Amino acid sequence: MLGILSAGVAPGLALLSYFYLKDEYEPEPISFVFRTFIYGALLVFPIMFIQHVLEIEHLLKSDLFDAFLSSSLLEEFFKWFILFYAVYQHVEFDEPFDGIVYGVAVSLGFATVENIFYLIANGIEHAMTRALLPVSSHALFGVIMGFYLGKAKFTDGNKEKWIIFSLLLPIILHGSYDYILISQENWLFIIFPFMIFLWWFGLRKVKKAKIMSANHFKKQYPVQKTLHS
């Protein structure tokens, strides 16, 4: 049991540490990051209940509905809800890159508990596949969600557009990921190119968020020019 718990928790903590350490300007309080992680972990239980009801009531009559409604829409909406209402207005969310840190935290909280349950039910031999696919994909959905929330909070103009993007894009990507897994017979040949794309797309958002944070701090704390004789 200890081995399953370790295998279930390790990839989530490793990925959270990776993205946390990308924050170069003002690292977030570990206590608040951990609290956001716990929020995500607790989401597993209401989501599992709703998914169970949808299944036993036979409301999901196609792979498309299963992928985009039962999994993608439910999971990404609840994660977005936590980020928007519990984190977005928080004083610690004070630079664009913070959206990524907290987006990854809530996503990996959810993915970690889900991963533990899966390994308990199906065996520790699935730990590597789970780490490479569902756990890392949840982290990247969190990157994308958090990037657009950070952009909404710290850019002028049409904030509503970026807030909509912060929910819509993770839903589309998550639904596409699940649809590949449940509908394609040779899913391995499709999912790995999809994951490569997802990592490329997510890391581009990380790079852009770091530039946005650098520009934000330049505006907040302008460098005083000094004259040298």
Side-chain angles (χ1 to χ4, degrees), residues 163-202:
I163 291 171
I164 292 169
F165 272 35
S166 73
L167 178 60
L168 189 60
L169 273 181
I171 288 174
I172 292 170
L173 291 169
H174 190 162
S176 301
Y177 168 90
D178 282 343
Y179 186 70
I180 292 168
L181 291 183
I182 65 179
S183 69
Q184 302 300 309
E185 185 175 346
N186 297 315
W187 59 268
L188 269 174
F189 296 104
I190 305 173
I191 202 65
F192 280 107
F194 182 84
M195 289 301 299
I196 290 169
F197 163 76
L198 199 57
W199 271 104
W200 169 80
F201 191 59

Tab-separated table of all heavy atoms in Angstrom, residues 163-202:
chain	number	residue	atom	x	y	z
A	163	ILE	N	-10.658	35.209	-19.733
A	163	ILE	CA	-11.304	34.347	-18.740
A	163	ILE	C	-12.049	33.206	-19.442
A	163	ILE	O	-11.983	32.047	-19.011
A	163	ILE	CB	-12.257	35.171	-17.847
A	163	ILE	CG1	-11.445	36.100	-16.943
A	163	ILE	CG2	-13.150	34.258	-17.006
A	163	ILE	CD1	-12.261	37.102	-16.168
A	164	ILE	N	-12.728	33.524	-20.545
A	164	ILE	CA	-13.402	32.476	-21.322
A	164	ILE	C	-12.378	31.490	-21.887
A	164	ILE	O	-12.575	30.271	-21.820
A	164	ILE	CB	-14.238	33.106	-22.454
A	164	ILE	CG1	-15.424	33.873	-21.862
A	164	ILE	CG2	-14.726	32.037	-23.437
A	164	ILE	CD1	-16.163	34.748	-22.858
A	165	PHE	N	-11.262	32.001	-22.401
A	165	PHE	CA	-10.201	31.129	-22.914
A	165	PHE	C	-9.679	30.206	-21.819
A	165	PHE	O	-9.333	29.047	-22.079
A	165	PHE	CB	-9.046	31.974	-23.464
A	165	PHE	CG	-9.199	32.359	-24.911
A	165	PHE	CD1	-10.438	32.632	-25.448
A	165	PHE	CD2	-8.082	32.472	-25.730
A	165	PHE	CE1	-10.578	33.000	-26.781
A	165	PHE	CE2	-8.211	32.828	-27.065
A	165	PHE	CZ	-9.464	33.096	-27.590
A	166	SER	N	-9.581	30.736	-20.583
A	166	SER	CA	-9.018	29.948	-19.478
A	166	SER	C	-9.860	28.715	-19.170
A	166	SER	O	-9.347	27.734	-18.632
A	166	SER	CB	-8.873	30.811	-18.227
A	166	SER	OG	-10.131	31.088	-17.633
A	167	LEU	N	-11.134	28.759	-19.487
A	167	LEU	CA	-12.003	27.594	-19.298
A	167	LEU	C	-12.158	26.794	-20.578
A	167	LEU	O	-12.082	25.560	-20.570
A	167	LEU	CB	-13.371	28.053	-18.798
A	167	LEU	CG	-14.425	26.965	-18.596
A	167	LEU	CD1	-13.959	25.934	-17.581
A	167	LEU	CD2	-15.750	27.576	-18.160
A	168	LEU	N	-12.349	27.483	-21.692
A	168	LEU	CA	-12.687	26.808	-22.947
A	168	LEU	C	-11.532	25.956	-23.491
A	168	LEU	O	-11.740	24.796	-23.891
A	168	LEU	CB	-13.107	27.845	-23.982
A	168	LEU	CG	-13.692	27.313	-25.295
A	168	LEU	CD1	-14.944	26.486	-25.027
A	168	LEU	CD2	-13.995	28.463	-26.246
A	169	LEU	N	-10.324	26.504	-23.510
A	169	LEU	CA	-9.205	25.745	-24.086
A	169	LEU	C	-8.892	24.465	-23.312
A	169	LEU	O	-8.700	23.405	-23.921
A	169	LEU	CB	-7.966	26.633	-24.185
A	169	LEU	CG	-7.847	27.465	-25.468
A	169	LEU	CD1	-6.562	28.290	-25.451
A	169	LEU	CD2	-7.878	26.588	-26.706
A	170	PRO	N	-8.811	24.498	-21.968
A	170	PRO	CA	-8.603	23.231	-21.255
A	170	PRO	C	-9.714	22.213	-21.509
A	170	PRO	O	-9.435	21.007	-21.601
A	170	PRO	CB	-8.565	23.659	-19.782
A	170	PRO	CG	-8.081	25.068	-19.814
A	170	PRO	CD	-8.715	25.645	-21.054
A	171	ILE	N	-10.963	22.678	-21.619
A	171	ILE	CA	-12.061	21.744	-21.908
A	171	ILE	C	-11.855	21.079	-23.263
A	171	ILE	O	-11.995	19.854	-23.408
A	171	ILE	CB	-13.419	22.471	-21.859
A	171	ILE	CG1	-13.798	22.814	-20.419
A	171	ILE	CG2	-14.516	21.614	-22.499
A	171	ILE	CD1	-15.045	23.668	-20.299
A	172	ILE	N	-11.502	21.865	-24.279
A	172	ILE	CA	-11.291	21.312	-25.625
A	172	ILE	C	-10.123	20.333	-25.642
A	172	ILE	O	-10.227	19.220	-26.193
A	172	ILE	CB	-11.055	22.452	-26.635
A	172	ILE	CG1	-12.349	23.267	-26.817
A	172	ILE	CG2	-10.589	21.897	-27.985
A	172	ILE	CD1	-12.150	24.549	-27.613
A	173	LEU	N	-9.016	20.718	-25.024
A	173	LEU	CA	-7.830	19.856	-25.026
A	173	LEU	C	-8.060	18.589	-24.208
A	173	LEU	O	-7.676	17.491	-24.626
A	173	LEU	CB	-6.628	20.632	-24.488
A	173	LEU	CG	-6.120	21.747	-25.405
A	173	LEU	CD1	-5.116	22.633	-24.679
A	173	LEU	CD2	-5.495	21.167	-26.675
A	174	HIS	N	-8.676	18.740	-23.051
A	174	HIS	CA	-8.956	17.577	-22.198
A	174	HIS	C	-9.938	16.632	-22.887
A	174	HIS	O	-9.747	15.404	-22.878
A	174	HIS	CB	-9.521	18.066	-20.863
A	174	HIS	CG	-9.638	16.994	-19.823
A	174	HIS	ND1	-9.766	17.274	-18.482
A	174	HIS	CD2	-9.663	15.643	-19.914
A	174	HIS	CE1	-9.859	16.147	-17.806
A	174	HIS	NE2	-9.806	15.147	-18.661
A	175	GLY	N	-10.980	17.200	-23.493
A	175	GLY	CA	-11.935	16.364	-24.199
A	175	GLY	C	-11.306	15.622	-25.365
A	175	GLY	O	-11.593	14.444	-25.599
A	176	SER	N	-10.417	16.296	-26.080
A	176	SER	CA	-9.721	15.652	-27.204
A	176	SER	C	-8.839	14.513	-26.712
A	176	SER	O	-8.808	13.429	-27.309
A	176	SER	CB	-8.870	16.687	-27.942
A	176	SER	OG	-9.673	17.739	-28.436
A	177	TYR	N	-8.139	14.755	-25.602
A	177	TYR	CA	-7.286	13.725	-24.993
A	177	TYR	C	-8.119	12.490	-24.634
A	177	TYR	O	-7.776	11.363	-24.998
A	177	TYR	CB	-6.607	14.319	-23.755
A	177	TYR	CG	-5.935	13.315	-22.869
A	177	TYR	CD1	-4.594	12.959	-23.065
A	177	TYR	CD2	-6.624	12.719	-21.805
A	177	TYR	CE1	-3.976	12.031	-22.243
A	177	TYR	CE2	-6.005	11.796	-20.985
A	177	TYR	CZ	-4.690	11.455	-21.204
A	177	TYR	OH	-4.083	10.535	-20.385
A	178	ASP	N	-9.233	12.695	-23.927
A	178	ASP	CA	-10.058	11.567	-23.509
A	178	ASP	C	-10.707	10.863	-24.701
A	178	ASP	O	-10.841	9.638	-24.704
A	178	ASP	CB	-11.140	12.035	-22.539
A	178	ASP	CG	-10.597	12.254	-21.132
A	178	ASP	OD1	-9.501	11.759	-20.843
A	178	ASP	OD2	-11.275	12.923	-20.331
A	179	TYR	N	-11.120	11.640	-25.695
A	179	TYR	CA	-11.761	11.038	-26.860
A	179	TYR	C	-10.792	10.112	-27.598
A	179	TYR	O	-11.185	9.039	-28.065
A	179	TYR	CB	-12.277	12.121	-27.798
A	179	TYR	CG	-13.074	11.578	-28.953
A	179	TYR	CD1	-14.332	11.014	-28.747
A	179	TYR	CD2	-12.567	11.613	-30.254
A	179	TYR	CE1	-15.069	10.500	-29.801
A	179	TYR	CE2	-13.296	11.100	-31.315
A	179	TYR	CZ	-14.545	10.546	-31.087
A	179	TYR	OH	-15.272	10.033	-32.125
A	180	ILE	N	-9.529	10.516	-27.682
A	180	ILE	CA	-8.517	9.651	-28.305
A	180	ILE	C	-8.410	8.335	-27.552
A	180	ILE	O	-8.384	7.250	-28.148
A	180	ILE	CB	-7.149	10.365	-28.352
A	180	ILE	CG1	-7.192	11.545	-29.326
A	180	ILE	CG2	-6.039	9.389	-28.748
A	180	ILE	CD1	-5.996	12.469	-29.220
A	181	LEU	N	-8.376	8.416	-26.221
A	181	LEU	CA	-8.179	7.218	-25.404
A	181	LEU	C	-9.356	6.249	-25.480
A	181	LEU	O	-9.164	5.030	-25.521
A	181	LEU	CB	-7.944	7.598	-23.942
A	181	LEU	CG	-6.622	8.293	-23.606
A	181	LEU	CD1	-6.520	8.527	-22.108
A	181	LEU	CD2	-5.423	7.468	-24.078
A	182	ILE	N	-10.587	6.783	-25.493
A	182	ILE	CA	-11.741	5.887	-25.392
A	182	ILE	C	-12.333	5.487	-26.732
A	182	ILE	O	-13.112	4.539	-26.797
A	182	ILE	CB	-12.845	6.501	-24.497
A	182	ILE	CG1	-13.426	7.768	-25.114
A	182	ILE	CG2	-12.324	6.758	-23.100
A	182	ILE	CD1	-14.535	8.406	-24.286
A	183	SER	N	-11.955	6.169	-27.810
A	183	SER	CA	-12.617	5.883	-29.088
A	183	SER	C	-11.691	5.280	-30.138
A	183	SER	O	-12.176	4.710	-31.115
A	183	SER	CB	-13.237	7.164	-29.659
A	183	SER	OG	-12.223	8.072	-30.070
A	184	GLN	N	-10.383	5.405	-29.934
A	184	GLN	CA	-9.450	4.949	-30.963
A	184	GLN	C	-8.841	3.597	-30.592
A	184	GLN	O	-8.292	3.445	-29.488
A	184	GLN	CB	-8.339	5.980	-31.166
A	184	GLN	CG	-8.841	7.361	-31.565
A	184	GLN	CD	-9.603	7.336	-32.870
A	184	GLN	OE1	-9.138	6.808	-33.873
A	184	GLN	NE2	-10.803	7.917	-32.857
A	185	GLU	N	-8.915	2.666	-31.509
A	185	GLU	CA	-8.361	1.330	-31.228
A	185	GLU	C	-6.841	1.399	-31.081
A	185	GLU	O	-6.267	0.798	-30.174
A	185	GLU	CB	-8.758	0.367	-32.354
A	185	GLU	CG	-8.342	-1.073	-32.089
A	185	GLU	CD	-8.842	-2.018	-33.163
A	185	GLU	OE1	-9.721	-1.625	-33.955
A	185	GLU	OE2	-8.338	-3.159	-33.200
A	186	ASN	N	-6.188	2.113	-31.971
A	186	ASN	CA	-4.724	2.266	-31.902
A	186	ASN	C	-4.372	3.623	-31.286
A	186	ASN	O	-3.669	4.436	-31.882
A	186	ASN	CB	-4.121	2.136	-33.307
A	186	ASN	CG	-4.360	0.763	-33.902
A	186	ASN	OD1	-4.191	-0.260	-33.247
A	186	ASN	ND2	-4.791	0.727	-35.159
A	187	TRP	N	-4.876	3.851	-30.070
A	187	TRP	CA	-4.743	5.166	-29.450
A	187	TRP	C	-3.297	5.557	-29.164
A	187	TRP	O	-2.966	6.738	-29.132
A	187	TRP	CB	-5.575	5.230	-28.169
A	187	TRP	CG	-5.213	4.216	-27.123
A	187	TRP	CD1	-5.749	2.986	-26.960
A	187	TRP	CD2	-4.228	4.364	-26.094
A	187	TRP	NE1	-5.175	2.335	-25.898
A	187	TRP	CE2	-4.233	3.161	-25.350
A	187	TRP	CE3	-3.342	5.375	-25.727
A	187	TRP	CZ2	-3.386	2.953	-24.252
A	187	TRP	CZ3	-2.502	5.185	-24.642
A	187	TRP	CH2	-2.524	3.987	-23.923
A	188	LEU	N	-2.426	4.564	-28.967
A	188	LEU	CA	-1.021	4.880	-28.663
A	188	LEU	C	-0.373	5.697	-29.771
A	188	LEU	O	0.455	6.576	-29.506
A	188	LEU	CB	-0.225	3.590	-28.457
A	188	LEU	CG	-0.144	3.042	-27.027
A	188	LEU	CD1	0.542	1.701	-27.024
A	188	LEU	CD2	0.577	4.026	-26.120
A	189	PHE	N	-0.743	5.422	-31.021
A	189	PHE	CA	-0.124	6.110	-32.154
A	189	PHE	C	-0.610	7.562	-32.278
A	189	PHE	O	-0.012	8.354	-32.996
A	189	PHE	CB	-0.409	5.358	-33.461
A	189	PHE	CG	0.199	3.991	-33.501
A	189	PHE	CD1	-0.587	2.859	-33.310
A	189	PHE	CD2	1.564	3.825	-33.701
A	189	PHE	CE1	-0.023	1.592	-33.340
A	189	PHE	CE2	2.132	2.562	-33.721
A	189	PHE	CZ	1.343	1.445	-33.538
A	190	ILE	N	-1.701	7.874	-31.583
A	190	ILE	CA	-2.251	9.231	-31.646
A	190	ILE	C	-1.937	10.011	-30.377
A	190	ILE	O	-1.643	11.201	-30.430
A	190	ILE	CB	-3.779	9.183	-31.879
A	190	ILE	CG1	-4.102	8.362	-33.126
A	190	ILE	CG2	-4.351	10.594	-32.006
A	190	ILE	CD1	-5.580	8.116	-33.342
A	191	ILE	N	-1.979	9.318	-29.239
A	191	ILE	CA	-1.867	10.036	-27.970
A	191	ILE	C	-0.468	10.588	-27.743
A	191	ILE	O	-0.306	11.675	-27.168
A	191	ILE	CB	-2.310	9.144	-26.783
A	191	ILE	CG1	-2.706	10.018	-25.581
A	191	ILE	CG2	-1.231	8.159	-26.390
A	191	ILE	CD1	-3.903	10.882	-25.789
A	192	PHE	N	0.567	9.894	-28.205
A	192	PHE	CA	1.914	10.415	-27.960
A	192	PHE	C	2.217	11.660	-28.784
A	192	PHE	O	2.761	12.630	-28.246
A	192	PHE	CB	2.962	9.317	-28.159
A	192	PHE	CG	3.067	8.415	-26.953
A	192	PHE	CD1	2.575	7.127	-26.985
A	192	PHE	CD2	3.639	8.869	-25.772
A	192	PHE	CE1	2.649	6.303	-25.865
A	192	PHE	CE2	3.721	8.059	-24.651
A	192	PHE	CZ	3.219	6.779	-24.698
A	193	PRO	N	1.847	11.730	-30.073
A	193	PRO	CA	1.971	13.016	-30.770
A	193	PRO	C	1.130	14.108	-30.116
A	193	PRO	O	1.551	15.267	-30.048
A	193	PRO	CB	1.481	12.699	-32.190
A	193	PRO	CG	1.681	11.250	-32.354
A	193	PRO	CD	1.473	10.647	-31.001
A	194	PHE	N	-0.058	13.736	-29.629
A	194	PHE	CA	-0.902	14.719	-28.948
A	194	PHE	C	-0.210	15.236	-27.686
A	194	PHE	O	-0.241	16.439	-27.394
A	194	PHE	CB	-2.251	14.087	-28.587
A	194	PHE	CG	-3.197	15.046	-27.921
A	194	PHE	CD1	-3.991	15.902	-28.675
A	194	PHE	CD2	-3.304	15.099	-26.532
A	194	PHE	CE1	-4.870	16.796	-28.067
A	194	PHE	CE2	-4.172	15.992	-25.916
A	194	PHE	CZ	-4.950	16.836	-26.686
A	195	MET	N	0.431	14.346	-26.925
A	195	MET	CA	1.132	14.764	-25.706
A	195	MET	C	2.343	15.638	-26.030
A	195	MET	O	2.650	16.587	-25.290
A	195	MET	CB	1.565	13.538	-24.898
A	195	MET	CG	0.418	12.799	-24.228
A	195	MET	SD	-0.536	13.822	-23.071
A	195	MET	CE	0.715	14.260	-21.864
A	196	ILE	N	3.029	15.323	-27.123
A	196	ILE	CA	4.155	16.177	-27.533
A	196	ILE	C	3.654	17.578	-27.862
A	196	ILE	O	4.252	18.583	-27.447
A	196	ILE	CB	4.886	15.551	-28.743
A	196	ILE	CG1	5.626	14.282	-28.308
A	196	ILE	CG2	5.863	16.559	-29.364
A	196	ILE	CD1	6.150	13.459	-29.459
A	197	PHE	N	2.545	17.643	-28.592
A	197	PHE	CA	1.928	18.947	-28.879
A	197	PHE	C	1.533	19.661	-27.585
A	197	PHE	O	1.756	20.869	-27.425
A	197	PHE	CB	0.697	18.766	-29.765
A	197	PHE	CG	-0.215	19.964	-29.763
A	197	PHE	CD1	0.108	21.113	-30.473
A	197	PHE	CD2	-1.397	19.956	-29.004
A	197	PHE	CE1	-0.725	22.232	-30.446
A	197	PHE	CE2	-2.223	21.067	-28.976
A	197	PHE	CZ	-1.892	22.208	-29.697
A	198	LEU	N	0.935	18.918	-26.644
A	198	LEU	CA	0.466	19.517	-25.401
A	198	LEU	C	1.632	20.081	-24.589
A	198	LEU	O	1.536	21.184	-24.032
A	198	LEU	CB	-0.295	18.464	-24.588
A	198	LEU	CG	-1.234	18.956	-23.488
A	198	LEU	CD1	-2.295	19.900	-24.039
A	198	LEU	CD2	-1.893	17.754	-22.802
A	199	TRP	N	2.739	19.353	-24.532
A	199	TRP	CA	3.926	19.859	-23.830
A	199	TRP	C	4.481	21.097	-24.538
A	199	TRP	O	4.852	22.074	-23.891
A	199	TRP	CB	4.998	18.771	-23.734
A	199	TRP	CG	4.864	17.929	-22.501
A	199	TRP	CD1	4.376	16.667	-22.416
A	199	TRP	CD2	5.233	18.315	-21.166
A	199	TRP	NE1	4.409	16.234	-21.121
A	199	TRP	CE2	4.933	17.218	-20.334
A	199	TRP	CE3	5.783	19.464	-20.611
A	199	TRP	CZ2	5.165	17.248	-18.956
A	199	TRP	CZ3	6.014	19.503	-19.239
A	199	TRP	CH2	5.707	18.411	-18.426
A	200	TRP	N	4.548	21.058	-25.855
A	200	TRP	CA	5.040	22.221	-26.607
A	200	TRP	C	4.158	23.437	-26.343
A	200	TRP	O	4.658	24.532	-26.058
A	200	TRP	CB	5.058	21.877	-28.096
A	200	TRP	CG	5.292	23.065	-28.988
A	200	TRP	CD1	6.489	23.653	-29.277
A	200	TRP	CD2	4.280	23.831	-29.686
A	200	TRP	NE1	6.296	24.732	-30.120
A	200	TRP	CE2	4.953	24.864	-30.377
A	200	TRP	CE3	2.903	23.724	-29.786
A	200	TRP	CZ2	4.277	25.796	-31.160
A	200	TRP	CZ3	2.222	24.645	-30.565
A	200	TRP	CH2	2.910	25.672	-31.243
A	201	PHE	N	2.853	23.233	-26.416
A	201	PHE	CA	1.907	24.325	-26.213
A	201	PHE	C	1.986	24.856	-24.779
A	201	PHE	O	2.018	26.075	-24.544
A	201	PHE	CB	0.489	23.825	-26.518
A	201	PHE	CG	-0.544	24.911	-26.597
A	201	PHE	CD1	-0.441	25.938	-27.512
A	201	PHE	CD2	-1.648	24.889	-25.754
A	201	PHE	CE1	-1.404	26.943	-27.588
A	201	PHE	CE2	-2.622	25.877	-25.820
A	201	PHE	CZ	-2.504	26.905	-26.742
A	202	GLY	N	2.045	23.946	-23.813
A	202	GLY	CA	2.124	24.353	-22.414
A	202	GLY	C	3.403	25.093	-22.091
A	202	GLY	O	3.386	26.124	-21.398
